[in-house]
Amino acid sequence: MQERAARTRQAVLEAAADEFAERGYEGASLQRMVWRAATSIGALTFHFGTKTALAEEVSAGGHARFERCLAELAAAPDPLRELRTLIGALARLAHEDTFVRATRRLEADRPGEVPPLTEVWLPVLRGLLDRAHDAQRLRPGVSPEDAVALLAHLAEGAMAAHGATRDSAWDAVWDSVWNVVLHGLAADRTGQAGQADRTGQAGQADRTGQAGQADRTGRTDAPGPSDATEPTDATEPTDLTECGAEPA
């Protein structure tokens, strides 16, 4: 008996999520939910009582799925790579998960009554940008606060596009958009390497000039090992394509 009641409750909840996702709070019909769940109005009201109680339960389910998804995201050494994975995961959930779609619709229909999903993912995004800033992965002049505002809008836009078909063309557009974002956010390591090279070349020129001056003052022996110029380590250039790898 308890197992059957649990199945009925879950069926009603899933039917309610479908109805809220498609029609919003005002347009959702308890009768259609009952039809979708293949049960009765009596069973629906027994488990949830009112449409408001159903909306709250569906919203709680959407939040729980977001939290579970974020907890399962694999950590990456590069916080910018993690940011790309995070936003891609948010967009995928908004496209594939009925409870998440319903929660977003309820949040729009009933502002203030449904806790916003940003409470779940925005602190994670902000923490990754703080890590990127501390690791000097952000372009000079880009503050974490400005980057949060930009990426929050990007994430909301990616989730709002959940109605589009997720195919190779969609993914190609997403990769292109993310690479453009990285060009604006990521520190130019290639430029840093070039600066290091120029510094090293200048140092080499100075030493060559000093050696020539020493020769003119009468030094005739070749410089020994201790006089050799140390090689300059150059930072590897950033591979923006790698940073845009599709999340697993």
Side-chain angles (χ1 to χ4, degrees), residues 8 22 29 38 41 58 63 76-77 88 102-103 105 111 123 144 156 184 221 227 235:
T8 299
E22 292 175 9
S29 163
I41 284 287
V58 168
H63 279 75
T103 302
R105 182 68 183 266
E156 288 288 357
D221 53 329
D227 298 317
T235 306

Side-chain angles (χ1 to χ4, degrees), residues 91-92 94-96 101 104 157-166 170:
R92 183 178 293 104
H95 173 72
E96 297 175 353
R101 293 203 309 272
R104 285 176 54 79
M159 287 187 283
H162 64 74
T165 303
R166 286 297 302 268
W170 195 100

Side-chain angles (χ1 to χ4, degrees), residues 128-204:
L128 289 174
L129 281 167
D130 286 340
R131 273 181 52 201
H133 180 262
D134 293 342
Q136 298 183 333
R137 289 289 286 116
L138 295 182
R139 186 179 297 278
V142 175
S143 69
E145 293 78 13
D146 292 341
V148 165
L150 170 66
L151 292 182
H153 281 85
L154 178 63
E156 288 288 357
M159 287 187 283
H162 64 74
T165 303
R166 286 297 302 268
D167 54 17
S168 58
W170 195 100
D171 291 333
V173 170
W174 168 236
D175 287 340
S176 298
V177 168
W178 182 250
N179 284 339
V180 170
V181 170
L182 275 184
H183 276 293
L185 287 181
D188 187 357
R189 293 185 174 184
T190 303
Q192 294 172 357
Q195 182 178 2
D197 289 341
R198 288 192 296 273
T199 303
Q201 291 167 0
Q204 176 65 35

Side-chain angles (χ1 to χ4, degrees), residues 14 16 20 30-31 37 54 60 75 98 102 104 117 127 148 169 182-183 187 204 213 215 223 226-227 230 242:
E14 290 175 359
F20 287 134
L30 295 181
Q31 189 60 52
L54 260 173
T98 304
R104 285 176 54 79
L117 282 168
V148 165
L182 275 184
H183 276 293
Q204 176 65 35
Q213 182 176 2
D215 289 341
S226 61
D227 298 317
E230 293 293 331
E242 276 192 13

Side-chain angles (χ1 to χ4, degrees), residues 13-29 31-33 35-37 51 58 94-109 162-163:
L13 198 56
E14 290 175 359
D18 287 333
E19 186 74 7
F20 287 134
E22 292 175 9
R23 302 174 184 272
Y25 183 80
E26 295 298 333
S29 163
Q31 189 60 52
R32 275 193 298 268
M33 294 179 194
W35 177 80
R36 287 175 184 262
K51 187 162 79 168
V58 168
H95 173 72
E96 297 175 353
D97 194 295
T98 304
F99 279 81
V100 172
R101 293 203 309 272
T103 302
R104 285 176 54 79
R105 182 68 183 266
L106 289 169
E107 180 183 329
D109 287 356
H162 64 74

